Amino acid sequence: MALTHFDDQGNAVMVDVSDKAETARVAVARGRVTAAPETVALIRDRGLGKGDVLSVAQLAGIMGAKRTADLIPLCHPLALTKVTVDLAVDEAAAAVAITATCRVTGRTGVEMEALTAVSVAALTVYDMCKAVDRGMRITDIHLVHKAGGRSGPFDVGGGDE
Amino acid sequence: MALTHFDDQGNAVMVDVSDKAETARVAVARGRVTAAPETVALIRDRGLGKGDVLSVAQLAGIMGAKRTADLIPLCHPLALTKVTVDLAVDEAAAAVAITATCRVTGRTGVEMEALTAVSVAALTVYDMCKAVDRGMRITDIHLVHKAGGRSGPFDVGGGDE
Amino acid sequence: MALTHFDDQGNAVMVDVSDKAETARVAVARGRVTAAPETVALIRDRGLGKGDVLSVAQLAGIMGAKRTADLIPLCHPLALTKVTVDLAVDEAAAAVAITATCRVTGRTGVEMEALTAVSVAALTVYDMCKAVDRGMRITDIHLVHKAGGRSGPFDVGGGDE
Amino acid sequence: MALTHFDDQGNAVMVDVSDKAETARVAVARGRVTAAPETVALIRDRGLGKGDVLSVAQLAGIMGAKRTADLIPLCHPLALTKVTVDLAVDEAAAAVAITATCRVTGRTGVEMEALTAVSVAALTVYDMCKAVDRGMRITDIHLVHKAGGRSGPFDVGGGDE
Amino acid sequence: MALTHFDDQGNAVMVDVSDKAETARVAVARGRVTAAPETVALIRDRGLGKGDVLSVAQLAGIMGAKRTADLIPLCHPLALTKVTVDLAVDEAAAAVAITATCRVTGRTGVEMEALTAVSVAALTVYDMCKAVDRGMRITDIHLVHKAGGRSGPFDVGGGDE
Amino acid sequence: MALTHFDDQGNAVMVDVSDKAETARVAVARGRVTAAPETVALIRDRGLGKGDVLSVAQLAGIMGAKRTADLIPLCHPLALTKVTVDLAVDEAAAAVAITATCRVTGRTGVEMEALTAVSVAALTVYDMCKAVDRGMRITDIHLVHKAGGRSGPFDVGGGDE
């Protein structure tokens, strides 16, 4: 087992994918922002009107996906063909749940794009609520589904995903 | 209690800080990437040589802090005067622990910059290890300390910080 | 009368503002997107729910203001202290009206930031409606108000602004 | 008639173009900056020498086309294969006329890239002349021609285009 | 002999590559940072530990390659499939030698990406050492090898490349 | 003698300049692109008309200066108050000579901004001439003058600067 982003001399490299075939790829990532119940209620109430926290964060997540190769040093630039970001208030868990889906026809997977979309959406929720709640946490960002690459499909086990 | 990023009509706004004084501000944020014990061991072993996962992620975190206002829609642009990002392998917890500190002399706080630095560093750890471990999670990103603004200093309670 | 962005040899320059005082500055710009009446009605109807065209364009305008110095070659980078963008459906005129306000405490004015915010918001309205209307026009983008610099305040004359 | 950039729940989405074929696409957009006759004369005179307003704006327009997906939230990133921007002084109309042409072989059209190129070129003309003329207007930005997509070619009617 | 980046009227253009075939392309570029012998020794010593000058510069070079089309006005955007940057201390020459290799499957070559990677890596070496040495020079940045385009392979002559 | 961009544990850091005073700072950098005499003659001839190589490269250099903190990992973001870039054909030396001057009122120097401006201008000259000359070299980029910081003014010795 070895890390693919280093050569024999220990130099970081952007891995050569020149010889990989272009295939249709998809990745789904998820995460949550936990907050005080009052904060979650405030987000829910705003969500009933226009200009709500969730739609600002959603847009930020979509735009964030497009900046992935600018942010992650060894990520390949990719021409994404689809990005969706969904945010939902989970009052029972006192959290905002975030799911992002990315697609591309390309030589590398799009899990980093999906994870970046979730991260930027989460940071945006945090930013918009930080004046009323300093105890929020961005948590549990993980890959849920991935398909289309050489290594075969991947799905997180368990019924709740 | 109301959200500051919306006006009376529900429009999102970049809050007017024109009349706030420029003061010295600092923020510290923390987060973790959890991984399989073998992945954590691999990161630790690489950390002994050059070109390791942790130093790539550290640089990505510092550069990410500088992109905060590009990523978070309603964040004010800030001329950061200091950014540090520290990553440490925590084998007992099977995790990489990340801490970021940002400073500025300005009209708004730098917690979003510190949180963004942690997020981008975490995404970079994930990117470099994803070929060997698809079960990693970016988790528990939160503010640890904040000082310098009108609202007074903030510290997360509890002994573990 | 001479253009300030060229030196004696005809070279374009970013004008030296080093010796100008930092003062509070504000600028307001306006513009419109004209469209078919059915398109305007569609935008208005969406505006009643969440995730509407206008709030997406508004966010894009705010973020666009922050990119001004990246886009306009000879613009000075500025740490904006306030950006607001307002969009309103004007059914009588079959148009979306856009107004942007920017503030800074700095050595140069912020009219380019306000004009860029209007332009990017207008382009975003266009993008979201182009599948249903190819005859839209982005029009009449102009400065409405400017204050805070050495040259004194400026206001567009006439009652309709 | 429905807007394509929203899903059933009203969430903004980057539309899925994964299954569209890659075809050769072209778009042409146009717009104008109106100014005082003295300003237009000044631009014309500079245009006779090097380092003129028009060539600065032209370059800004080309570079702006490449930033389209960074600026417009739901635009797909595209690897443009051609961008040209032409600016011409129209003294009779007291205006600078701007035309941009973009090409790509891809899954989505390039009208937003052409419109963005015109907008950024127009903002740059404004920036370079604003010290001598505060009454300029960026106006009449519209699509002139589009070809290569599923929906068939589009041309603005009328003889003056 | 004429320059390809201008049209008949002398306007700068992003050259139309729409009709060129997508082929596998590679480019290798090289350059050096010369410094005082003590500075070179300092870089060498740091290179033995972690967090060294060379690995920071290497990462900056890789990320810089991805920004080429943002920086060079008439460069086409490209989805790079490989970037490597190697830095080596050359004590005899009192220099740091930098080599970058870029690959793409596309319609234009990648020499500008390789040259940009070398330039940004060199600037980063300079930045990290400038507090101890103000006499450094970034020098001799040139193309070493290029293949895959219509014009046939190119190699710098001479045995030392 | 130690490198300032690392802490005691060998981690790269963006140096803390929070406690430094804001002072007026200036830096001047220089470099050259060497080329075949025919290429230099071609650039000179174009320079007599509009849309020449030198004015494109000049603009690219100015815009590049504004991207310095995006490119160089540990550079502080700065609100530049002046950037000029001058390019001159030196036929005797078969080269294009480039000089950049940057100013800021801030807590850190602007030599990296001046050096980045020279580098990006040089890369742009290269890009525009590479179809006719593959033997060009970007060379001798160095700091010529620096003033305004704690360490006192710096000037390259010798009469030729």
Side-chain angles (χ1 to χ4, degrees), chain B residues 106-139:
Chain B
R107 292 181 175 83
T108 61
V110 285
E111 60 261 63
M112 292 318 301
E113 281 73 12
L115 291 159
T116 301
V118 171
S119 297
V120 174
L123 288 164
T124 302
V125 169
Y126 192 108
D127 180 47
M128 300 187 81
C129 298
K130 69 181 192 294
V132 299
D133 187 350
R134 282 167 163 181
M136 288 176 288
R137 297 197 170 218
I138 296 171
T139 201

Short mmCIF file of all heavy atoms in Angstrom, two decimals, chain B residues 106-139:
data_model
loop_
_atom_site.label_atom_id
_atom_site.label_comp_id
_atom_site.label_asym_id
_atom_site.label_seq_id
_atom_site.Cartn_x
_atom_site.Cartn_y
_atom_site.Cartn_z
N GLY B 106 -8.18 44.58 11.33
CA GLY B 106 -9.26 44.91 10.41
C GLY B 106 -10.58 45.14 11.11
O GLY B 106 -10.65 45.20 12.34
N ARG B 107 -11.61 45.23 10.28
CA ARG B 107 -12.94 45.59 10.79
C ARG B 107 -13.83 44.38 11.04
O ARG B 107 -14.94 44.52 11.55
CB ARG B 107 -13.63 46.53 9.79
CG ARG B 107 -12.98 47.89 9.70
CD ARG B 107 -13.68 48.82 8.75
NE ARG B 107 -13.07 50.15 8.83
CZ ARG B 107 -11.96 50.50 8.17
NH1 ARG B 107 -11.35 49.63 7.39
NH2 ARG B 107 -11.47 51.71 8.32
N THR B 108 -13.39 43.20 10.63
CA THR B 108 -14.19 42.00 10.89
C THR B 108 -13.28 40.89 11.38
O THR B 108 -12.07 40.93 11.21
CB THR B 108 -14.91 41.50 9.61
OG1 THR B 108 -13.92 41.17 8.63
CG2 THR B 108 -15.85 42.54 9.06
N GLY B 109 -13.90 39.90 12.00
CA GLY B 109 -13.16 38.79 12.57
C GLY B 109 -12.62 37.85 11.51
O GLY B 109 -12.96 37.95 10.32
N VAL B 110 -11.76 36.96 11.93
CA VAL B 110 -11.11 36.03 11.00
C VAL B 110 -11.46 34.58 11.28
O VAL B 110 -10.72 33.67 10.90
CB VAL B 110 -9.57 36.22 11.01
CG1 VAL B 110 -9.20 37.48 10.26
CG2 VAL B 110 -9.02 36.24 12.42
N GLU B 111 -12.60 34.33 11.93
CA GLU B 111 -12.93 32.93 12.18
C GLU B 111 -13.22 32.17 10.89
O GLU B 111 -12.88 30.99 10.78
CB GLU B 111 -14.09 32.77 13.18
CG GLU B 111 -15.39 33.39 12.79
CD GLU B 111 -15.59 34.74 13.45
OE1 GLU B 111 -14.77 35.65 13.18
OE2 GLU B 111 -16.55 34.89 14.22
N MET B 112 -13.81 32.82 9.90
CA MET B 112 -14.09 32.09 8.66
C MET B 112 -12.79 31.71 7.95
O MET B 112 -12.70 30.64 7.34
CB MET B 112 -14.98 32.92 7.71
CG MET B 112 -16.40 33.12 8.19
SD MET B 112 -17.21 31.67 8.93
CE MET B 112 -17.15 30.50 7.58
N GLU B 113 -11.79 32.58 8.05
CA GLU B 113 -10.49 32.27 7.44
C GLU B 113 -9.86 31.06 8.15
O GLU B 113 -9.30 30.17 7.48
CB GLU B 113 -9.56 33.49 7.54
CG GLU B 113 -9.84 34.56 6.51
CD GLU B 113 -11.11 35.38 6.76
OE1 GLU B 113 -11.68 35.27 7.87
OE2 GLU B 113 -11.55 36.10 5.85
N ALA B 114 -9.94 31.02 9.47
CA ALA B 114 -9.36 29.89 10.20
C ALA B 114 -10.13 28.60 9.90
O ALA B 114 -9.53 27.54 9.70
CB ALA B 114 -9.36 30.19 11.70
N LEU B 115 -11.45 28.69 9.84
CA LEU B 115 -12.25 27.50 9.54
C LEU B 115 -12.03 27.02 8.10
O LEU B 115 -12.01 25.82 7.83
CB LEU B 115 -13.74 27.81 9.76
CG LEU B 115 -14.15 28.02 11.23
CD1 LEU B 115 -15.46 28.82 11.30
CD2 LEU B 115 -14.30 26.70 11.96
N THR B 116 -11.86 27.98 7.19
CA THR B 116 -11.59 27.60 5.79
C THR B 116 -10.22 26.94 5.66
O THR B 116 -10.05 25.95 4.93
CB THR B 116 -11.68 28.84 4.87
OG1 THR B 116 -13.01 29.39 5.00
CG2 THR B 116 -11.43 28.49 3.42
N ALA B 117 -9.24 27.46 6.38
CA ALA B 117 -7.90 26.85 6.37
C ALA B 117 -7.97 25.40 6.84
O ALA B 117 -7.39 24.50 6.22
CB ALA B 117 -6.94 27.66 7.24
N VAL B 118 -8.70 25.15 7.92
CA VAL B 118 -8.83 23.78 8.42
C VAL B 118 -9.55 22.91 7.38
O VAL B 118 -9.12 21.78 7.09
CB VAL B 118 -9.62 23.77 9.76
CG1 VAL B 118 -9.96 22.33 10.17
CG2 VAL B 118 -8.80 24.44 10.87
N SER B 119 -10.60 23.44 6.78
CA SER B 119 -11.38 22.65 5.80
C SER B 119 -10.54 22.27 4.59
O SER B 119 -10.59 21.12 4.12
CB SER B 119 -12.60 23.45 5.33
OG SER B 119 -13.48 23.72 6.40
N VAL B 120 -9.79 23.23 4.06
CA VAL B 120 -9.00 22.95 2.86
C VAL B 120 -7.84 22.00 3.20
O VAL B 120 -7.52 21.09 2.41
CB VAL B 120 -8.50 24.26 2.21
CG1 VAL B 120 -7.56 23.96 1.05
CG2 VAL B 120 -9.70 25.09 1.72
N ALA B 121 -7.24 22.17 4.36
CA ALA B 121 -6.19 21.23 4.77
C ALA B 121 -6.77 19.82 4.91
O ALA B 121 -6.16 18.83 4.47
CB ALA B 121 -5.56 21.68 6.09
N ALA B 122 -7.97 19.72 5.47
CA ALA B 122 -8.61 18.41 5.64
C ALA B 122 -8.94 17.78 4.30
O ALA B 122 -8.70 16.58 4.08
CB ALA B 122 -9.87 18.56 6.49
N LEU B 123 -9.48 18.57 3.38
CA LEU B 123 -9.78 18.05 2.04
C LEU B 123 -8.51 17.56 1.35
O LEU B 123 -8.52 16.57 0.61
CB LEU B 123 -10.45 19.14 1.18
CG LEU B 123 -11.90 19.48 1.55
CD1 LEU B 123 -12.32 20.81 0.91
CD2 LEU B 123 -12.85 18.36 1.11
N THR B 124 -7.40 18.24 1.60
CA THR B 124 -6.14 17.84 0.97
C THR B 124 -5.62 16.53 1.54
O THR B 124 -5.11 15.67 0.81
CB THR B 124 -5.11 18.98 1.11
OG1 THR B 124 -5.65 20.15 0.51
CG2 THR B 124 -3.80 18.63 0.43
N VAL B 125 -5.72 16.36 2.86
CA VAL B 125 -5.37 15.06 3.45
C VAL B 125 -6.22 13.97 2.79
O VAL B 125 -5.71 12.91 2.38
CB VAL B 125 -5.60 15.07 4.98
CG1 VAL B 125 -5.49 13.65 5.55
CG2 VAL B 125 -4.62 16.00 5.67
N TYR B 126 -7.51 14.25 2.68
CA TYR B 126 -8.42 13.27 2.07
C TYR B 126 -7.98 12.94 0.65
O TYR B 126 -7.90 11.77 0.26
CB TYR B 126 -9.84 13.86 2.07
CG TYR B 126 -10.92 12.87 1.74
CD1 TYR B 126 -11.79 12.41 2.72
CD2 TYR B 126 -11.09 12.38 0.45
CE1 TYR B 126 -12.79 11.49 2.42
CE2 TYR B 126 -12.07 11.46 0.14
CZ TYR B 126 -12.92 11.02 1.13
OH TYR B 126 -13.90 10.10 0.83
N ASP B 127 -7.70 13.97 -0.12
CA ASP B 127 -7.32 13.76 -1.53
C ASP B 127 -6.10 12.86 -1.66
O ASP B 127 -6.04 11.98 -2.52
CB ASP B 127 -7.05 15.12 -2.18
CG ASP B 127 -6.65 14.99 -3.65
OD1 ASP B 127 -7.32 14.25 -4.39
OD2 ASP B 127 -5.67 15.65 -4.06
N MET B 128 -5.12 13.10 -0.79
CA MET B 128 -3.87 12.36 -0.93
C MET B 128 -3.96 10.92 -0.45
O MET B 128 -3.10 10.10 -0.78
CB MET B 128 -2.75 13.11 -0.21
CG MET B 128 -2.58 14.52 -0.79
SD MET B 128 -1.16 15.37 -0.12
CE MET B 128 0.12 14.63 -1.14
N CYS B 129 -4.97 10.62 0.36
CA CYS B 129 -5.10 9.27 0.90
C CYS B 129 -6.29 8.52 0.32
O CYS B 129 -6.49 7.34 0.64
CB CYS B 129 -5.26 9.34 2.43
SG CYS B 129 -3.83 10.07 3.25
N LYS B 130 -7.06 9.13 -0.55
CA LYS B 130 -8.32 8.49 -0.98
C LYS B 130 -8.10 7.23 -1.81
O LYS B 130 -8.98 6.38 -1.87
CB LYS B 130 -9.21 9.49 -1.73
CG LYS B 130 -8.70 9.93 -3.09
CD LYS B 130 -9.68 10.94 -3.71
CE LYS B 130 -9.36 11.16 -5.17
NZ LYS B 130 -8.05 11.82 -5.43
N ALA B 131 -6.92 7.11 -2.41
CA ALA B 131 -6.66 5.90 -3.20
C ALA B 131 -6.49 4.68 -2.30
O ALA B 131 -6.68 3.54 -2.75
CB ALA B 131 -5.42 6.09 -4.08
N VAL B 132 -6.15 4.90 -1.05
CA VAL B 132 -5.97 3.76 -0.14
C VAL B 132 -7.07 3.64 0.91
O VAL B 132 -7.13 2.64 1.63
CB VAL B 132 -4.60 3.81 0.59
CG1 VAL B 132 -3.46 3.77 -0.42
CG2 VAL B 132 -4.49 5.03 1.49
N ASP B 133 -7.95 4.62 1.02
CA ASP B 133 -8.94 4.59 2.10
C ASP B 133 -10.15 5.42 1.68
O ASP B 133 -10.09 6.65 1.58
CB ASP B 133 -8.32 5.18 3.38
CG ASP B 133 -9.24 5.04 4.60
OD1 ASP B 133 -10.42 4.66 4.44
OD2 ASP B 133 -8.75 5.30 5.71
N ARG B 134 -11.27 4.74 1.44
CA ARG B 134 -12.49 5.47 1.05
C ARG B 134 -13.42 5.74 2.22
O ARG B 134 -14.52 6.22 2.04
CB ARG B 134 -13.25 4.66 0.01
CG ARG B 134 -12.63 4.79 -1.36
CD ARG B 134 -13.21 3.74 -2.26
NE ARG B 134 -12.94 4.07 -3.65
CZ ARG B 134 -13.36 3.32 -4.66
NH1 ARG B 134 -14.06 2.23 -4.44
NH2 ARG B 134 -13.09 3.67 -5.89
N GLY B 135 -13.00 5.39 3.40
CA GLY B 135 -13.88 5.55 4.55
C GLY B 135 -13.52 6.74 5.44
O GLY B 135 -14.07 6.88 6.53
N MET B 136 -12.63 7.57 4.97
CA MET B 136 -12.24 8.73 5.79
C MET B 136 -13.41 9.69 6.00
O MET B 136 -14.33 9.75 5.19
CB MET B 136 -11.09 9.49 5.12
CG MET B 136 -9.77 8.75 5.16
SD MET B 136 -8.48 9.64 4.25
CE MET B 136 -9.04 9.35 2.56
N ARG B 137 -13.34 10.45 7.10
CA ARG B 137 -14.36 11.47 7.39
C ARG B 137 -13.66 12.75 7.88
O ARG B 137 -12.73 12.70 8.68
CB ARG B 137 -15.34 10.99 8.46
CG ARG B 137 -16.11 9.77 7.97
CD ARG B 137 -17.37 9.46 8.74
NE ARG B 137 -18.09 8.41 7.99
CZ ARG B 137 -19.41 8.34 7.86
NH1 ARG B 137 -20.19 9.24 8.47
NH2 ARG B 137 -19.97 7.38 7.15
N ILE B 138 -14.15 13.86 7.37
CA ILE B 138 -13.69 15.17 7.84
C ILE B 138 -14.69 15.61 8.88
O ILE B 138 -15.89 15.70 8.59
CB ILE B 138 -13.64 16.17 6.67
CG1 ILE B 138 -12.61 15.72 5.63
CG2 ILE B 138 -13.33 17.58 7.18
CD1 ILE B 138 -12.65 16.53 4.34
N THR B 139 -14.21 15.89 10.07
CA THR B 139 -15.18 15.99 11.15
C THR B 139 -14.76 17.00 12.22
O THR B 139 -13.59 17.34 12.33
CB THR B 139 -15.41 14.58 11.76
OG1 THR B 139 -16.65 14.58 12.44
CG2 THR B 139 -14.28 14.15 12.65
#
